[in-house]
Amino acid sequence: MLTRESATYVGRFAPSPTGPLHFGSLVAAVASYLQAKARAGQWLLRIEDIDPPREQPGATDAILRALEQYGFEWHGDVIYQSRSQETHEVAIQSLLERSLAYPCGCSRRDLADAPRGSLGTIYPGTCRDGCDAEETAIRLRTTHTSVSFVDGLQGLQSQELERESGDFIIRRRDGLIAYHLAVVVDDAIEGITEIVRGIDLMDSTPRQIWLQQLLGYPTPNYIHIPVVTHPNGDKLSKLTGAAGIPELGTARVLVAALIALQQEPPEELRRAGQSAVWQWAIENWCLDAMQGQTAVSTDSEALAGLGDGLW
Ligand code: GLU
Protein backbone atom coordinates (compact mmCIF):
# COMPACT_ATOMS: atom_id res chain seq x y z
CA MET A 1 0.00 0.00 0.00
CA LEU A 2 1.42 3.38 -0.96
CA THR A 3 1.63 6.00 1.71
CA ARG A 4 0.83 9.61 0.96
CA GLU A 5 4.51 10.54 1.17
CA SER A 6 5.74 7.95 -1.29
CA ALA A 7 2.99 8.29 -3.85
CA THR A 8 4.21 9.62 -7.14
CA TYR A 9 0.74 10.13 -8.54
CA VAL A 10 -1.87 12.04 -6.57
CA GLY A 11 -5.18 12.82 -8.24
CA ARG A 12 -8.43 14.16 -6.86
CA PHE A 13 -12.13 14.75 -7.39
CA ALA A 14 -13.35 18.07 -6.04
CA PRO A 15 -17.12 18.49 -6.26
CA SER A 16 -18.91 21.59 -4.99
CA PRO A 17 -21.96 20.69 -2.88
CA THR A 18 -24.38 22.60 -5.09
CA GLY A 19 -26.57 19.58 -5.81
CA PRO A 20 -26.51 15.79 -6.03
CA LEU A 21 -24.03 14.01 -8.28
CA HIS A 22 -25.50 13.84 -11.79
CA PHE A 23 -24.30 11.72 -14.68
CA GLY A 24 -21.95 14.44 -16.01
CA SER A 25 -20.16 14.77 -12.68
CA LEU A 26 -20.03 10.98 -12.26
CA VAL A 27 -18.18 10.79 -15.59
CA ALA A 28 -15.59 13.31 -14.31
CA ALA A 29 -15.23 11.35 -11.07
CA VAL A 30 -14.76 8.07 -12.95
CA ALA A 31 -12.12 9.59 -15.27
CA SER A 32 -10.01 11.01 -12.44
CA TYR A 33 -10.41 7.79 -10.44
CA LEU A 34 -9.35 5.50 -13.28
CA GLN A 35 -6.43 7.71 -14.20
CA ALA A 36 -5.17 7.47 -10.58
CA LYS A 37 -5.93 3.76 -10.10
CA ALA A 38 -4.37 2.74 -13.41
CA ARG A 39 -1.15 4.37 -12.15
CA ALA A 40 -1.39 2.80 -8.68
CA GLY A 41 -1.68 6.37 -7.42
CA GLN A 42 -3.80 8.02 -4.77
CA TRP A 43 -7.19 9.56 -5.38
CA LEU A 44 -8.32 12.20 -2.91
CA LEU A 45 -11.83 13.48 -2.37
CA ARG A 46 -12.28 17.16 -1.58
CA ILE A 47 -15.63 18.80 -0.99
CA GLU A 48 -15.37 22.41 -2.17
CA ASP A 49 -17.66 23.93 0.43
CA ILE A 50 -16.53 27.55 0.55
CA ASP A 51 -19.51 29.21 -1.12
CA PRO A 52 -22.44 28.77 1.30
CA PRO A 53 -24.88 30.87 -0.78
CA ARG A 54 -24.52 28.38 -3.66
CA GLU A 55 -24.68 25.25 -1.52
CA GLN A 56 -27.73 23.04 -1.36
CA PRO A 57 -28.65 21.57 2.03
CA GLY A 58 -27.87 17.86 2.09
CA ALA A 59 -25.78 17.94 -1.09
CA THR A 60 -22.52 16.95 0.62
CA ASP A 61 -24.13 13.87 2.17
CA ALA A 62 -25.81 12.98 -1.09
CA ILE A 63 -22.52 13.21 -3.00
CA LEU A 64 -20.62 11.13 -0.43
CA ARG A 65 -23.37 8.50 -0.32
CA ALA A 66 -23.46 8.26 -4.11
CA LEU A 67 -19.68 7.90 -4.38
CA GLU A 68 -19.74 5.13 -1.77
CA GLN A 69 -22.61 3.34 -3.46
CA TYR A 70 -20.76 3.44 -6.76
CA GLY A 71 -17.74 1.82 -5.13
CA PHE A 72 -15.23 4.70 -5.20
CA GLU A 73 -12.44 4.34 -2.63
CA TRP A 74 -10.64 7.52 -1.73
CA HIS A 75 -7.37 7.88 0.08
CA GLY A 76 -7.63 9.08 3.69
CA ASP A 77 -10.47 11.19 5.04
CA VAL A 78 -12.76 13.36 2.99
CA ILE A 79 -11.15 16.82 2.76
CA TYR A 80 -13.39 19.84 3.37
CA GLN A 81 -12.12 22.95 1.63
CA SER A 82 -13.73 25.21 4.24
CA ARG A 83 -11.18 23.91 6.76
CA SER A 84 -8.24 25.41 4.86
CA GLN A 85 -9.55 28.97 4.91
CA GLU A 86 -6.68 30.18 7.08
CA THR A 87 -4.20 28.92 4.51
CA HIS A 88 -6.19 30.67 1.77
CA GLU A 89 -5.87 33.91 3.76
CA VAL A 90 -2.10 33.44 4.20
CA ALA A 91 -1.76 33.09 0.42
CA ILE A 92 -3.82 36.24 -0.16
CA GLN A 93 -1.74 38.20 2.36
CA SER A 94 1.48 37.10 0.67
CA LEU A 95 0.17 38.33 -2.69
CA LEU A 96 -0.98 41.64 -1.15
CA GLU A 97 2.35 42.21 0.60
CA ARG A 98 4.18 41.77 -2.68
CA SER A 99 1.69 44.08 -4.47
CA LEU A 100 0.73 41.23 -6.76
CA ALA A 101 -2.84 41.71 -5.60
CA TYR A 102 -4.81 44.80 -4.56
CA PRO A 103 -8.15 45.84 -3.05
CA CYS A 104 -10.89 46.71 -5.54
CA GLY A 105 -14.05 48.58 -4.68
CA CYS A 106 -15.79 48.22 -8.06
CA SER A 107 -19.37 46.96 -7.92
CA ARG A 108 -21.06 45.00 -10.67
CA ARG A 109 -22.78 48.24 -11.67
CA ASP A 110 -19.43 50.07 -11.91
CA LEU A 111 -18.32 47.43 -14.40
CA ALA A 112 -21.51 47.36 -16.45
CA ASP A 113 -19.81 49.10 -19.38
CA ALA A 114 -16.52 47.20 -19.15
CA PRO A 115 -15.61 45.10 -22.20
CA ARG A 116 -16.62 41.44 -22.19
CA GLY A 117 -14.72 38.48 -23.57
CA SER A 118 -15.14 34.72 -23.57
CA LEU A 119 -14.15 34.60 -19.88
CA GLY A 120 -16.70 37.25 -18.84
CA THR A 121 -16.12 40.88 -17.93
CA ILE A 122 -12.58 42.02 -18.67
CA TYR A 123 -11.56 44.12 -15.70
CA PRO A 124 -10.44 47.52 -16.99
CA GLY A 125 -7.98 48.10 -14.11
CA THR A 126 -9.94 50.86 -12.36
CA CYS A 127 -8.53 50.18 -8.86
CA ARG A 128 -5.03 49.10 -9.88
CA ASP A 129 -3.43 52.22 -8.46
CA GLY A 130 -5.52 52.42 -5.30
CA CYS A 131 -9.09 52.66 -4.15
CA ASP A 132 -10.68 54.22 -1.10
CA ALA A 133 -13.84 52.09 -0.89
CA GLU A 134 -14.58 50.54 2.48
CA GLU A 135 -15.79 47.22 1.23
CA THR A 136 -13.39 45.71 -1.22
CA ALA A 137 -12.71 42.55 -3.15
CA ILE A 138 -9.10 41.50 -3.74
CA ARG A 139 -7.89 41.21 -7.33
CA LEU A 140 -4.79 39.52 -8.68
CA ARG A 141 -2.68 41.49 -11.14
CA THR A 142 -2.29 39.98 -14.59
CA THR A 143 0.22 40.83 -17.32
CA HIS A 144 0.34 40.66 -21.09
CA THR A 145 2.60 37.58 -21.17
CA SER A 146 0.83 34.39 -22.26
CA VAL A 147 0.17 31.63 -19.80
CA SER A 148 0.29 28.29 -21.60
CA PHE A 149 0.01 24.62 -20.81
CA VAL A 150 -0.22 21.41 -22.76
CA ASP A 151 -3.43 19.62 -21.86
CA GLY A 152 -3.17 15.83 -21.85
CA LEU A 153 -6.16 15.54 -24.21
CA GLN A 154 -6.76 18.96 -25.70
CA GLY A 155 -3.19 19.97 -26.61
CA LEU A 156 -1.59 23.40 -26.26
CA GLN A 157 -3.73 26.03 -24.52
CA SER A 158 -2.74 29.63 -24.08
CA GLN A 159 -4.25 32.82 -22.68
CA GLU A 160 -3.01 36.36 -22.41
CA LEU A 161 -4.63 37.12 -19.10
CA GLU A 162 -4.45 40.90 -19.04
CA ARG A 163 -6.22 41.09 -22.38
CA GLU A 164 -8.60 38.14 -21.99
CA SER A 165 -9.71 38.34 -18.35
CA GLY A 166 -7.99 41.33 -16.80
CA ASP A 167 -7.05 41.30 -13.12
CA PHE A 168 -9.31 38.75 -11.47
CA ILE A 169 -10.92 38.33 -8.07
CA ILE A 170 -9.31 36.07 -5.48
CA ARG A 171 -11.40 37.23 -2.51
CA ARG A 172 -14.91 38.50 -3.06
CA ARG A 173 -16.41 41.67 -1.63
CA ASP A 174 -18.56 39.55 0.71
CA GLY A 175 -15.32 38.09 2.14
CA LEU A 176 -15.67 34.66 0.55
CA ILE A 177 -12.56 33.18 -1.01
CA ALA A 178 -12.84 32.88 -4.79
CA TYR A 179 -12.71 29.47 -6.48
CA HIS A 180 -9.42 30.06 -8.34
CA LEU A 181 -7.48 30.90 -5.18
CA ALA A 182 -8.97 28.11 -3.08
CA VAL A 183 -8.51 25.39 -5.68
CA VAL A 184 -4.86 26.33 -6.32
CA VAL A 185 -3.94 26.50 -2.63
CA ASP A 186 -5.68 23.20 -1.84
CA ASP A 187 -4.20 21.33 -4.80
CA ALA A 188 -0.75 22.49 -3.63
CA ILE A 189 -1.31 21.56 0.04
CA GLU A 190 -2.50 18.12 -0.98
CA GLY A 191 0.39 17.54 -3.37
CA ILE A 192 -1.87 16.92 -6.37
CA THR A 193 0.26 15.90 -9.35
CA GLU A 194 -2.45 15.66 -12.02
CA ILE A 195 -5.89 17.21 -12.38
CA VAL A 196 -8.50 15.39 -14.45
CA ARG A 197 -11.73 17.38 -14.77
CA GLY A 198 -14.40 18.53 -17.20
CA ILE A 199 -13.49 20.66 -20.18
CA ASP A 200 -15.85 23.38 -18.95
CA LEU A 201 -13.07 24.27 -16.46
CA MET A 202 -10.29 24.45 -19.07
CA ASP A 203 -10.74 28.22 -19.50
CA SER A 204 -9.93 28.64 -15.81
CA THR A 205 -6.66 26.77 -15.96
CA PRO A 206 -4.37 29.60 -17.17
CA ARG A 207 -5.60 31.82 -14.30
CA GLN A 208 -4.89 28.97 -11.89
CA ILE A 209 -1.41 28.40 -13.35
CA TRP A 210 -0.73 32.14 -13.03
CA LEU A 211 -1.63 31.93 -9.34
CA GLN A 212 0.62 28.87 -8.91
CA GLN A 213 3.49 30.79 -10.46
CA LEU A 214 3.03 33.80 -8.19
CA LEU A 215 2.69 31.63 -5.10
CA GLY A 216 5.72 29.49 -6.00
CA TYR A 217 3.72 26.26 -6.33
CA PRO A 218 4.43 23.50 -8.85
CA THR A 219 1.96 23.20 -11.75
CA PRO A 220 0.28 19.79 -11.95
CA ASN A 221 -0.54 18.06 -15.24
CA TYR A 222 -3.96 18.96 -16.60
CA ILE A 223 -6.35 16.71 -18.47
CA HIS A 224 -9.73 18.12 -19.48
CA ILE A 225 -12.24 15.50 -20.48
CA PRO A 226 -15.18 15.97 -22.87
CA VAL A 227 -18.37 17.35 -21.40
CA VAL A 228 -21.55 15.22 -21.51
CA THR A 229 -24.32 17.09 -23.27
CA HIS A 230 -28.04 16.83 -23.93
CA PRO A 231 -28.84 16.24 -27.61
CA ASN A 232 -29.25 20.03 -28.06
CA GLY A 233 -25.63 20.56 -26.96
CA ASP A 234 -26.35 21.91 -23.44
CA LYS A 235 -24.07 20.54 -20.74
CA LEU A 236 -25.77 18.08 -18.34
CA SER A 237 -26.04 20.02 -15.13
CA LYS A 238 -28.44 20.79 -12.36
CA LEU A 239 -29.49 23.87 -14.31
CA THR A 240 -30.50 21.79 -17.32
CA GLY A 241 -32.49 19.45 -15.10
CA ALA A 242 -30.05 16.51 -14.91
CA ALA A 243 -31.21 14.16 -12.17
CA GLY A 244 -29.03 12.73 -9.42
CA ILE A 245 -27.56 9.34 -10.37
CA PRO A 246 -29.70 6.40 -9.20
CA GLU A 247 -28.87 4.34 -6.13
CA LEU A 248 -29.73 1.08 -7.84
CA GLY A 249 -28.25 -0.39 -10.99
CA THR A 250 -24.89 1.23 -10.33
CA ALA A 251 -23.00 -1.23 -12.58
CA ARG A 252 -25.14 -0.27 -15.60
CA VAL A 253 -24.60 3.44 -14.90
CA LEU A 254 -20.85 2.90 -14.57
CA VAL A 255 -20.83 1.14 -17.93
CA ALA A 256 -22.62 4.17 -19.41
CA ALA A 257 -19.95 6.42 -17.85
CA LEU A 258 -17.22 4.28 -19.44
CA ILE A 259 -18.89 4.59 -22.82
CA ALA A 260 -19.10 8.37 -22.38
CA LEU A 261 -15.35 8.22 -21.71
CA GLN A 262 -14.89 6.42 -25.06
CA GLN A 263 -13.86 3.16 -23.41
CA GLU A 264 -15.17 0.04 -25.11
CA PRO A 265 -16.61 -2.19 -22.40
CA PRO A 266 -17.55 -5.63 -23.73
CA GLU A 267 -21.26 -6.34 -24.13
CA GLU A 268 -21.31 -8.83 -21.22
CA LEU A 269 -20.07 -6.17 -18.77
CA ARG A 270 -23.58 -4.68 -18.94
CA ARG A 271 -24.79 -7.67 -16.97
CA ALA A 272 -21.82 -7.87 -14.59
CA GLY A 273 -21.65 -6.62 -11.00
CA GLN A 274 -20.07 -3.38 -9.85
CA SER A 275 -16.70 -4.81 -8.82
CA ALA A 276 -16.27 -6.60 -12.16
CA VAL A 277 -16.99 -3.32 -13.94
CA TRP A 278 -14.35 -1.48 -11.90
CA GLN A 279 -11.82 -4.24 -12.43
CA TRP A 280 -12.32 -4.18 -16.19
CA ALA A 281 -12.23 -0.39 -16.23
CA ILE A 282 -8.95 -0.09 -14.31
CA GLU A 283 -7.23 -2.81 -16.33
CA ASN A 284 -8.35 -1.41 -19.68
CA TRP A 285 -8.27 2.34 -19.01
CA CYS A 286 -7.27 4.19 -22.16
CA LEU A 287 -7.20 7.94 -21.72
CA ASP A 288 -6.06 8.46 -25.31
CA ALA A 289 -9.39 7.22 -26.62
CA MET A 290 -10.69 10.75 -25.85
CA GLN A 291 -7.81 12.59 -27.54
CA GLY A 292 -9.03 15.96 -28.82
CA GLN A 293 -12.68 15.23 -28.08
CA THR A 294 -14.63 18.04 -26.43
CA ALA A 295 -18.22 16.75 -26.09
CA VAL A 296 -20.21 13.52 -25.92
CA SER A 297 -23.93 13.63 -26.54
CA THR A 298 -26.28 11.44 -24.54
CA ASP A 299 -28.10 10.52 -27.75
CA SER A 300 -25.01 8.84 -29.18
CA GLU A 301 -25.90 5.33 -30.27
CA ALA A 302 -23.68 3.71 -27.66
CA LEU A 303 -25.20 5.67 -24.77
CA ALA A 304 -28.83 5.97 -25.81
CA GLY A 305 -29.94 2.56 -24.62
CA LEU A 306 -28.21 2.80 -21.23
CA GLY A 307 -29.42 6.14 -20.06
CA ASP A 308 -33.08 5.55 -19.17
CA GLY A 309 -33.95 8.00 -16.43
CA LEU A 310 -30.40 9.28 -16.20
CA TRP A 311 -30.71 12.46 -18.24
N1 GLU B 1 -15.53 22.35 -7.46
C1 GLU B 1 -15.52 22.47 -8.88
C2 GLU B 1 -16.86 22.00 -9.44
O1 GLU B 1 -17.57 21.26 -8.79
C3 GLU B 1 -14.44 21.66 -9.54
C4 GLU B 1 -13.10 22.18 -9.24
C5 GLU B 1 -11.97 21.52 -10.02
O2 GLU B 1 -12.07 20.34 -10.37
O3 GLU B 1 -10.98 22.17 -10.20
O4 GLU B 1 -17.18 22.38 -10.55
Side-chain angles (χ1 to χ4, degrees), residues 91-92 95 101 138-140 168-172 176-182 211:
I92 292 173
L95 294 164
I138 304 292
R139 281 186 192 270
L140 188 73
F168 60 90
I169 289 185
I170 53 174
R171 188 171 69 210
R172 294 173 2 192
L176 294 178
I177 307 289
Y179 158 65
H180 294 305
L181 188 284
L211 263 167

Short mmCIF file of all heavy atoms in Angstrom, two decimals, residues 91-92 95 101 138-140 168-172 176-182 211:
data_model
loop_
_atom_site.label_atom_id
_atom_site.label_comp_id
_atom_site.label_asym_id
_atom_site.label_seq_id
_atom_site.Cartn_x
_atom_site.Cartn_y
_atom_site.Cartn_z
N ALA A 91 -2.15 32.92 1.83
CA ALA A 91 -1.76 33.09 0.42
C ALA A 91 -2.16 34.48 -0.07
O ALA A 91 -1.37 35.16 -0.74
CB ALA A 91 -2.40 31.99 -0.43
N ILE A 92 -3.36 34.92 0.29
CA ILE A 92 -3.82 36.24 -0.16
C ILE A 92 -2.93 37.33 0.43
O ILE A 92 -2.52 38.27 -0.26
CB ILE A 92 -5.31 36.45 0.22
CG1 ILE A 92 -6.18 35.50 -0.60
CG2 ILE A 92 -5.74 37.90 0.01
CD1 ILE A 92 -7.64 35.47 -0.21
N LEU A 95 0.32 37.66 -1.39
CA LEU A 95 0.17 38.33 -2.69
C LEU A 95 0.00 39.84 -2.48
O LEU A 95 0.56 40.66 -3.22
CB LEU A 95 -1.04 37.75 -3.44
CG LEU A 95 -0.87 36.27 -3.87
CD1 LEU A 95 -2.21 35.65 -4.25
CD2 LEU A 95 0.12 36.15 -5.04
N ALA A 101 -1.38 41.64 -5.68
CA ALA A 101 -2.84 41.71 -5.60
C ALA A 101 -3.19 43.04 -4.94
O ALA A 101 -2.35 43.65 -4.29
CB ALA A 101 -3.37 40.55 -4.77
N ILE A 138 -10.54 41.49 -3.45
CA ILE A 138 -9.10 41.50 -3.74
C ILE A 138 -8.91 40.94 -5.14
O ILE A 138 -9.47 39.88 -5.48
CB ILE A 138 -8.31 40.62 -2.73
CG1 ILE A 138 -8.56 41.04 -1.28
CG2 ILE A 138 -6.81 40.64 -3.06
CD1 ILE A 138 -8.00 42.38 -0.90
N ARG A 139 -8.18 41.67 -5.96
CA ARG A 139 -7.89 41.21 -7.33
C ARG A 139 -6.42 40.87 -7.50
O ARG A 139 -5.56 41.55 -6.93
CB ARG A 139 -8.24 42.29 -8.35
CG ARG A 139 -9.69 42.39 -8.65
CD ARG A 139 -9.98 43.37 -9.77
NE ARG A 139 -11.41 43.60 -9.79
CZ ARG A 139 -12.28 42.88 -10.51
NH1 ARG A 139 -11.85 41.93 -11.31
NH2 ARG A 139 -13.57 43.15 -10.46
N LEU A 140 -6.17 39.90 -8.36
CA LEU A 140 -4.79 39.52 -8.68
C LEU A 140 -4.37 40.24 -9.95
O LEU A 140 -5.13 40.25 -10.94
CB LEU A 140 -4.73 38.00 -8.92
CG LEU A 140 -3.32 37.45 -9.07
CD1 LEU A 140 -2.61 37.43 -7.72
CD2 LEU A 140 -3.34 36.03 -9.64
N PHE A 168 -8.12 39.50 -11.90
CA PHE A 168 -9.31 38.75 -11.47
C PHE A 168 -9.41 38.60 -9.96
O PHE A 168 -8.40 38.75 -9.24
CB PHE A 168 -9.39 37.40 -12.20
CG PHE A 168 -8.22 36.48 -11.96
CD1 PHE A 168 -8.23 35.58 -10.92
CD2 PHE A 168 -7.11 36.53 -12.80
CE1 PHE A 168 -7.15 34.74 -10.70
CE2 PHE A 168 -6.01 35.69 -12.60
CZ PHE A 168 -6.03 34.79 -11.54
N ILE A 169 -10.62 38.33 -9.51
CA ILE A 169 -10.92 38.33 -8.07
C ILE A 169 -10.42 37.05 -7.39
O ILE A 169 -10.66 35.95 -7.89
CB ILE A 169 -12.44 38.50 -7.88
CG1 ILE A 169 -12.80 39.94 -8.26
CG2 ILE A 169 -12.87 38.17 -6.45
CD1 ILE A 169 -14.23 40.33 -8.03
N ILE A 170 -9.72 37.24 -6.27
CA ILE A 170 -9.31 36.07 -5.48
C ILE A 170 -10.00 36.06 -4.10
O ILE A 170 -10.03 35.05 -3.44
CB ILE A 170 -7.77 35.97 -5.33
CG1 ILE A 170 -7.17 37.28 -4.80
CG2 ILE A 170 -7.13 35.58 -6.68
CD1 ILE A 170 -5.67 37.16 -4.50
N ARG A 171 -10.48 37.22 -3.68
CA ARG A 171 -11.40 37.23 -2.51
C ARG A 171 -12.53 38.18 -2.84
O ARG A 171 -12.30 39.30 -3.29
CB ARG A 171 -10.70 37.66 -1.22
CG ARG A 171 -11.65 37.46 -0.03
CD ARG A 171 -10.98 37.65 1.32
NE ARG A 171 -10.64 39.02 1.55
CZ ARG A 171 -9.60 39.42 2.30
NH1 ARG A 171 -8.82 38.54 2.88
NH2 ARG A 171 -9.35 40.70 2.46
N ARG A 172 -13.76 37.71 -2.64
CA ARG A 172 -14.91 38.50 -3.06
C ARG A 172 -15.21 39.62 -2.06
O ARG A 172 -14.71 39.62 -0.95
CB ARG A 172 -16.14 37.58 -3.20
CG ARG A 172 -15.93 36.60 -4.33
CD ARG A 172 -16.95 35.53 -4.51
NE ARG A 172 -18.11 35.49 -3.65
CZ ARG A 172 -18.94 34.45 -3.59
NH1 ARG A 172 -18.72 33.37 -4.34
NH2 ARG A 172 -19.99 34.47 -2.80
N LEU A 176 -15.88 36.08 0.89
CA LEU A 176 -15.67 34.66 0.55
C LEU A 176 -14.48 34.53 -0.40
O LEU A 176 -14.24 35.38 -1.25
CB LEU A 176 -16.93 34.07 -0.11
CG LEU A 176 -18.16 33.98 0.80
CD1 LEU A 176 -19.37 33.44 0.04
CD2 LEU A 176 -17.87 33.09 2.02
N ILE A 177 -13.74 33.43 -0.19
CA ILE A 177 -12.56 33.18 -1.01
C ILE A 177 -13.04 32.72 -2.40
O ILE A 177 -13.94 31.89 -2.51
CB ILE A 177 -11.71 32.04 -0.39
CG1 ILE A 177 -11.38 32.33 1.08
CG2 ILE A 177 -10.46 31.75 -1.21
CD1 ILE A 177 -10.40 33.42 1.31
N ALA A 178 -12.42 33.25 -3.44
CA ALA A 178 -12.84 32.88 -4.79
C ALA A 178 -12.30 31.49 -5.17
O ALA A 178 -11.25 31.06 -4.70
CB ALA A 178 -12.35 33.92 -5.79
N TYR A 179 -13.04 30.83 -6.04
CA TYR A 179 -12.71 29.47 -6.48
C TYR A 179 -11.25 29.32 -6.93
O TYR A 179 -10.56 28.39 -6.50
CB TYR A 179 -13.69 29.06 -7.59
CG TYR A 179 -13.20 27.96 -8.50
CD1 TYR A 179 -12.96 26.68 -8.02
CD2 TYR A 179 -12.95 28.20 -9.86
CE1 TYR A 179 -12.49 25.66 -8.85
CE2 TYR A 179 -12.49 27.21 -10.70
CZ TYR A 179 -12.26 25.94 -10.19
OH TYR A 179 -11.79 24.95 -11.02
N HIS A 180 -10.77 30.24 -7.78
CA HIS A 180 -9.42 30.06 -8.34
C HIS A 180 -8.36 29.98 -7.23
O HIS A 180 -7.45 29.17 -7.28
CB HIS A 180 -9.04 31.23 -9.26
CG HIS A 180 -9.88 31.30 -10.50
ND1 HIS A 180 -10.01 30.24 -11.36
CD2 HIS A 180 -10.64 32.30 -11.02
CE1 HIS A 180 -10.80 30.59 -12.35
NE2 HIS A 180 -11.20 31.82 -12.16
N LEU A 181 -8.48 30.87 -6.26
CA LEU A 181 -7.48 30.90 -5.18
C LEU A 181 -7.57 29.63 -4.35
O LEU A 181 -6.57 28.96 -4.09
CB LEU A 181 -7.72 32.16 -4.33
CG LEU A 181 -6.74 32.58 -3.24
CD1 LEU A 181 -6.82 31.76 -1.97
CD2 LEU A 181 -5.31 32.70 -3.73
N ALA A 182 -8.79 29.26 -3.98
CA ALA A 182 -8.97 28.11 -3.08
C ALA A 182 -8.49 26.83 -3.75
O ALA A 182 -7.78 26.02 -3.14
CB ALA A 182 -10.45 27.99 -2.69
N LEU A 211 -1.66 31.89 -10.81
CA LEU A 211 -1.63 31.93 -9.34
C LEU A 211 -0.53 31.00 -8.79
O LEU A 211 0.20 31.36 -7.87
CB LEU A 211 -2.98 31.46 -8.79
CG LEU A 211 -3.96 32.56 -8.40
CD1 LEU A 211 -5.35 31.97 -8.18
CD2 LEU A 211 -3.49 33.29 -7.15
#
